[in-house]
Structures are given as C-alpha cells and as structure tokens.
Amino acid sequence: MKKFMDKDFLLTTETAKELFHGYAEDCPIIDYHNHLPPKDIFERRRYENLTQIWLEADHYKWRCMRVCGVDEYYITGTADAYEKFLRFAEILPRLIGSPVYHWAHLELQRYFGIYEPLTADNAKVIWEKTCAMLAGEGFDAVSLLDKAKVKALCTTDDPADSLEWHLKLKDDGSIPFITLPSFRPDRFLHIDQPAFIPACKALGEKYGEISDWDSLKNALRASLDFFQSAGCRVTDHGFTRFRYARGNCEAVVKKALRGETLSEEDIALYQGALLRFLGEEYAQRGLVMQLHLGPVRNTSPVLMKAFGPDAGGDSIGATTDPFLLAAYLGDLEGEDKLPKTVLYNLHPGDSAMLSTMAVDFCANGAKVQYGAAWWLLDHIRGISEQLDQLMETGLISGSVGMLTDSRSFTSFARHEYFRRILCNKLGEKVENGEYPCDLSFLGELVKDICWRNAKNYFGI
C-alpha cells in the first residue's frame, strides 16, 4: 500500500517517477487563464487564515460543501471564519476521489508543510498553525505565487475595465513575474442577455457612445488597443451555446439596443458577425483566442438571488454543434484571418470532436489547440482523457499544458496535479513497451508541455 499523497503520489511506474522528479517538478508556471484579482497582487494582500485563501471565492469547495448538506450560512453566508473552515474540514474526508480533496492536501503540503490529512479532529491545530504562518513573512499574494514558480499569469477582464492594477503592476519592478490582462467580451457575445445593454453603456462611456453595429466595433477596437498597450496577449470567450450564422447584423444590434426581443436567427446572425470581427482583429494583432464551450450557468434561482453569478450554480450543458464551429474557423481561415485558437470543452462528448477539429486547421501552421481539461473536467479521469485524445487524435508534444481557472492564490498546486498525471501517462507508454525509454527526449517533451509550449504559443 502506498503512503498517503507522498512524493510519488499518482506516479505508478519508475519511468513516471523519473520524468516527474527529474523534469516536471521544478518547471516554472505560465498560467494563461485564471480569475485572480490583480489588485490583490499589486497590494501584496495578506491573509489571516485558510478561510480567506480557500473559501472566500472558490466555488469548487462551495459545491462540495453544499452537496454534503452544509448550510449556506457556512459557505457564502456570514458565519465566523473558523466556523466555515471547520465545516469544510468536517466534509473533506467524505470527498474521496474528488480533485478538491487532492488539491486541498497538495496546498497544505506545498505552502504550509502539513502532510497529515485534514479532518474535523485536527482542524483546530491546523487552523492555528496556518494562521501563525500566514502572520509571518512569505505568505502575501506575491510570495505565494513566487513560491509556486509562477512566471506569468493572465487574468480575466471585461473590455470596459480600466486595467488600473495591471498598469501599476507593469510599472512595479519588484514583482518577480508578469501579470497580463485577458480580453473577455462575454457580455457583448450574448446579445440576448440582460447584461448586453449595460455592457454597451459602460464601454460607450470610455470609447464613444454605442448606437449601432459600427460604433460597437469601433469601441471594441479602441478597447483592444488599450488592452494591448497594457500587455494583453490572450483573449477569452465563454459560451453556453455556440451560435453562428453568416450575414449582416446591423438591424439586430439596433433591435437589441432598443430592448426588443430577438429571435434565434437574430442571435446567431449577430454572434457570427461579432465572432468574425473579433477573430479578424485578434489575427491582425497577434492575440490568441480562447473559446470555452459547454457550460450551463447560474441554474439555481436561490443562489442567483442570494449571491449572484459565480456562486457555483453551474453545470455541464449541451454539446457544441461541430458544423457551426467548423464553419466559423473555416470562414476565418479562408480569409487568412484565423488567429491562434485554443478550444476547451465542458461536455465530455465534445472531447474527440475538438481534438480532431484542432488538427483540421494546421495547413498554415498548428494554430488551433485542443485545450486543457477545464472546470468540471479537471480531475484525474478528465485530465487523463484529454491527454489520451491528444495522443491518439492530436499532438500531445505540442500541447500548451495546464491552467488553473482559479480565484485562489494557492491553487497553483493544480499544475503539479496535472504534471503528475502527465508523467504517469507517458511512463505507462514506456513501461508497456509502446514507446522507447529515451528519458532525455521524453524529459524535454515534458518540459515543453509543462511550460515552454505555452510561453512560445502565447508569446509571453
């Protein structure tokens, strides 16, 4: 029997151990998609306790607490910080097989040197020990990221954002990594949702009133100019349903701005026009486009009313229509305006489709990537399946690796989680006689996947 989450956690062969400890373990991190607040980085935020680090904004943990029957008062409510931590410690042993269980213990090990499993019985001791450590040096937001060997991270930012904190970080020479904004125009993509008109108003106040399709494009161009001046290399787009149609959307935009109801045809026409416009802009500017496909968001009216969006009331939605996605990418490629693009799926049924579709668009260089196992798929099985797809229908050696998609400053242990699964997967191929035992070559390939491919692909 193996020891609990020891140095060879998830590594089942000698080859896997050599690949991880010899090549992957000390690789730096390029985290090209997360939700960390840049203000906390610039101000070098200090944390008083694990509740602030773990439970303040982590909907992964909130979902686990809810499904175990914990009252919302102890999750997003006004309960005392220790009471919240204790409720999480009480349910943690029940999360056998959950990535949250593994992540929590990796974070205790890597940041606090605590190797015993967290339970209700030792919660008080671990609480007091971590509080004492957090009060000392080396545990502010910058130090936590530096401890994880983060070299670059890309946050998620609305086109109307002032980027105040990114600009301050850009001028701060004392921080040992770079923090870049990502252009996230979700509120403009979903013209049928209530956020569209307020988004147009906010963007219009910065870059000129938005009254039609041309003025919307002009405002988005101006925002992209500003984002690039702040160091933006990455854009990001979240879809509940991927819609796409060809045609003129001027009348649709005016209908939406007047508050009129839109048909499905209207929505598809607008989203297609906007996606083509944005894709062309990204290609011209050398920006990478990320497409996150497949969630259904904010399904719980109770959570939405009490907390708002991003409360953890989201789940896996529908599969993406491959004909529409292929039409979009094909239209851009046909005009030689296809930017580098990373495709992510939340529905497992999209995995093979996205992996094979990425290969379809390699005629002028491998611009399109099948991205990391994302959100509700970033567990052992989901990561393993994504790696299998890349090996069997794509190119694992060209993968840009892992991301955190996180709001927590200690979540970068997730990169280690991915790297262990990667090394074990490759080690199995060697041990099974499916690939030669060339550790020098495989080790460099592992380094590529862990960080070098991302550095080169995103131009960071």
Side-chain angles (χ1 to χ4, degrees):
M1 181 175 66
K2 294 187 68 173
K3 292 182 179 179
F4 171 70
M5 292 186 65
D6 66 359
K7 65 182 181 67
D8 293 328
F9 173 56
L10 298 180
L11 306 174
T12 60
T13 67
E14 290 305 311
T15 304
K17 295 172 187 176
E18 290 190 49
L19 288 174
F20 179 73
H21 295 301
Y23 297 93
E25 190 169 21
D26 292 324
C27 281
I29 287 174
I30 307 291
D31 197 72
Y32 47 88
H33 175 66
N34 64 72
H35 299 272
L36 295 180
K39 180 176 185 288
D40 287 358
I41 300 173
F42 179 77
E43 294 184 342
R44 297 174 181 261
R45 182 183 173 183
R46 300 298 302 258
Y47 300 89
E48 297 177 2
N49 51 62
L50 283 177
T51 296
Q52 290 182 352
I53 293 178
W54 275 2
L55 300 172
E56 191 172 81
D58 190 346
H59 52 71
Y60 286 93
K61 293 182 178 67
W62 296 348
R63 287 173 64 86
C64 291
M65 295 171 77
R66 289 186 191 120
V67 78
C68 288
V70 177
D71 190 276
E72 199 67 23
Y73 173 71
Y74 298 103
I75 303 172
T76 59
T78 57
D80 171 80
Y82 177 69
E83 289 179 323
K84 290 185 175 183
F85 174 75
L86 180 59
R87 295 301 181 276
F88 179 68
E90 288 172 347
I91 64 99
L92 190 59
R94 298 175 61 187
L95 304 182
I96 184 170
S98 167
V100 173
Y101 186 86
H102 295 144
W103 297 338
H105 287 100
L106 282 175
E107 291 172 34
L108 285 174
Q109 291 179 7
R110 299 297 171 264
Y111 293 97
F112 301 99
I114 296 171
Y115 288 83
E116 59 186 299
L118 173 61
T119 67
D121 293 336
N122 63 10
K124 186 69 172 177
V125 172
I126 288 178
W127 173 266
E128 291 175 349
K129 179 176 181 178
T130 54
C131 284
M133 294 178 72
L134 288 167
E137 294 301 314
F139 287 91
D140 60 273
V142 171
S143 297
L144 289 171
L145 293 172
D146 190 39
K147 190 188 294 281
K149 301 184 179 69
V150 172
K151 296 303 178 186
L153 55 87
C154 300
T155 61
T156 307
D157 309 282
D158 186 85
D161 197 293
S162 69
L163 302 185
E164 171 189 0
W165 303 104
H166 291 92
L167 295 174
K168 289 181 177 180
L169 285 165
K170 188 177 179 181
D171 294 335
D172 188 337
S174 68
I175 294 178
F177 52 82
I178 57 174
T179 304
L180 306 176
S182 294
F183 187 78
R184 178 88 180 227
D186 284 16
R187 294 198 299 166
F188 299 91
L189 278 175
H190 303 291
I191 195 171
D192 56 318
Q193 296 183 3
F196 176 74
I197 292 178
C200 288
K201 182 178 180 181
L203 192 67
E205 289 173 353
K206 288 179 66 71
Y207 301 113
E209 182 183 0
I210 295 172
S211 58
D212 55 20
W213 172 230
D214 284 338
S215 56
L216 173 58
K217 289 190 293 183
N218 289 336
L220 288 170
R221 280 196 194 97
S223 177
L224 279 166
D225 289 340
F226 178 53
F227 268 67
Q228 280 197 278
S229 73
C232 175
R233 301 295 308 144
V234 183
T235 71
D236 195 17
H237 311 75
F239 301 87
T240 52
R241 280 182 56 198
F242 184 85
R243 298 175 171 99
Y244 187 73
R246 301 178 181 94
N248 190 302
C249 73
E250 291 181 12
V252 178
V253 174
K254 288 183 177 179
K255 282 175 66 176
L257 291 172
R258 290 194 299 264
E260 297 178 18
T261 301
L262 303 178
S263 68
E264 278 295 315
E265 182 181 357
D266 288 337
I267 298 167
L269 196 65
Y270 165 79
Q271 196 169 92
L274 183 64
L275 286 170
R276 285 191 302 276
F277 163 73
L278 290 174
E280 292 170 4
E281 286 288 326
Y282 302 155
Q284 179 184 334
R285 299 165 183 269
L287 300 176
V288 177
M289 176 170 68
Q290 299 179 94
L291 304 180
H292 285 88
L293 306 159
V296 53
R297 297 182 184 271
N298 307 314
T299 58
S300 168
V302 171
L303 287 178
M304 191 64 183
K305 181 178 180 181
F307 185 86
D310 303 320
D314 313 309
S315 59
I316 292 172
T319 55
T320 299
D321 188 324
F323 296 98
L324 296 181
L325 182 59
Y328 171 52
L329 298 176
D331 283 347
L332 290 176
E333 186 188 51
E335 297 292 327
D336 196 23
K337 294 177 180 177
L338 177 65
K340 290 181 179 179
T341 302
V342 186
L343 306 173
Y344 304 91
N345 61 296
L346 197 60
H347 196 297
D350 281 340
S351 299
M353 181 270 286
L354 293 185
S355 179
T356 55
M357 190 168 293
V359 179
D360 294 346
F361 296 94
C362 290
N364 295 312
K367 285 185 175 180
V368 183
Q369 283 258 352
Y370 175 41
W374 167 56
W375 198 354
L376 299 173
L377 296 182
D378 57 1
H379 39 65
I380 293 174
R381 176 167 50 85
I383 294 170
S384 295
E385 289 180 356
Q386 188 256 356
L387 295 174
D388 284 338
Q389 285 293 345
L390 283 172
M391 285 192 284
E392 295 165 2
T393 64
L395 183 69
I396 193 170
S397 60
S399 169
V400 291
M402 192 56 176
L403 48 83
T404 61
D405 186 35
S406 176
R407 293 167 171 79
S408 169
F409 279 86
T410 56
S411 66
F412 290 80
R414 297 179 192 179
H415 281 266
E416 177 184 337
Y417 196 57
F418 166 81
R419 292 170 180 182
R420 287 178 178 272
I421 296 168
L422 168 67
C423 290
N424 197 59
K425 182 73 67 175
L426 297 176
E428 286 176 350
K429 296 296 181 187
V430 172
E431 301 273 343
N432 289 339
E434 299 176 51
Y435 195 87
C437 187
D438 185 344
L439 288 177
S440 177
F441 179 83
L442 279 173
E444 293 306 310
L445 185 149
V446 164
K447 288 182 177 180
D448 286 343
I449 298 169
C450 288
W451 76 284
R452 290 192 300 220
N453 288 344
K455 180 179 184 295
N456 295 329
Y457 187 80
F458 294 103
I460 295 174

